Amino acid sequence: MKLNIKQINYNEANQISKWIYEEPYSIYSMDESDDCIDELLNNPYFSVTDRENNLLGYYCFGESAQVPVGRQFGVYDDKDVTDIGLGMKPNLCGQGLGFGFLNSGLEFARNQLSAKRFRLTVAAFNKRAIKVYERIGFKKVNSFKRKSGTGEIEFWVMILS
């Protein structure tokens, strides 16, 4: 899968801010707010497009890829690891594209950010994503729970060495 990865621009951030995911993945939906767009533009977010410049998704790195409440549990204390977050356009999810998409992001981070080891955080119910992560070699090393409007959500912290 040949992908173009670059610093996100306003148009792409605006598009991503409108993405709505179906249940149970709605926790990954954006809210179209200026704050959401600012988050995408003012942090290490990178857009992912295909050869025709169609927006497919994004990657983020560092604190932007962490679930903030996880910090109080110490799950992000190891600073020798690069956190990676990713999102695919909702209509592309569940179509078997995740393995190539994530591998492209890892390769980008190795080449452009000199990343060696990776950590990601995923909702424990997101079995299709976990399956991809485990296939690539990520292993669960920790977990924590976050309270939300609909109850508690467990998150897994996974490492790829």
Side-chain angles (χ1 to χ4, degrees):
M1 180 184 311
K2 176 64 178 136
L3 301 176
N4 301 309
I5 303 168
K6 64 177 179 47
Q7 191 74 42
I8 201 165
N9 65 38
Y10 179 83
N11 182 45
E12 294 161 338
N14 188 42
Q15 286 180 60
I16 291 167
S17 78
K18 297 175 183 173
W19 288 357
I20 303 295
Y21 295 89
E22 292 180 9
E23 293 297 341
Y25 307 102
S26 63
I27 66 161
Y28 299 112
S29 296
M30 304 286 181
D31 66 4
E32 294 188 53
S33 69
D34 289 340
D35 286 343
C36 178
I37 294 169
D38 287 346
E39 163 75 16
L40 294 165
L41 289 174
N42 296 311
N43 289 289
Y45 279 83
F46 297 84
S47 64
V48 183
T49 57
D50 64 14
R51 291 175 193 211
E52 288 79 43
N53 209 33
N54 297 306
L55 183 61
L56 305 177
Y58 65 87
Y59 305 116
C60 62
F61 299 96
E63 285 188 18
S64 296
Q66 298 174 355
V67 176
V69 73
R71 294 184 197 121
Q72 73 190 42
F73 298 107
V75 300
Y76 302 122
D77 287 352
D78 184 350
K79 302 301 181 200
D80 294 329
V81 182
T82 300
D83 286 284
I84 182 171
L86 58 145
M88 290 181 67
K89 193 172 186 175
N91 67 341
L92 299 176
C93 294
Q95 295 188 19
L97 303 173
F99 186 86
F101 187 83
L102 177 54
N103 264 331
S104 293
L106 296 171
E107 182 181 328
F108 173 82
R110 286 183 188 108
N111 294 333
Q112 301 298 315
L113 308 174
S114 301
K116 306 268 187 280
R117 296 174 59 222
F118 295 92
R119 176 174 51 212
L120 57 76
T121 306
V122 59
F125 69 77
N126 194 346
K127 300 298 183 203
R128 66 185 185 196
I130 291 169
K131 189 173 165 181
V132 168
Y133 303 156
E134 288 176 336
R135 196 169 137 217
I136 285 176
F138 279 89
K139 304 233 181 305
K140 178 185 173 192
V141 295
N142 218 323
S143 67
F144 62 90
K145 292 183 179 170
R146 180 189 88 187
K147 292 191 183 342
S148 75
T150 58
E152 268 189 350
I153 300 172
E154 180 182 5
F155 287 90
W156 285 11
V157 179
M158 303 179 80
I159 298 278
L160 175 68
S161 296

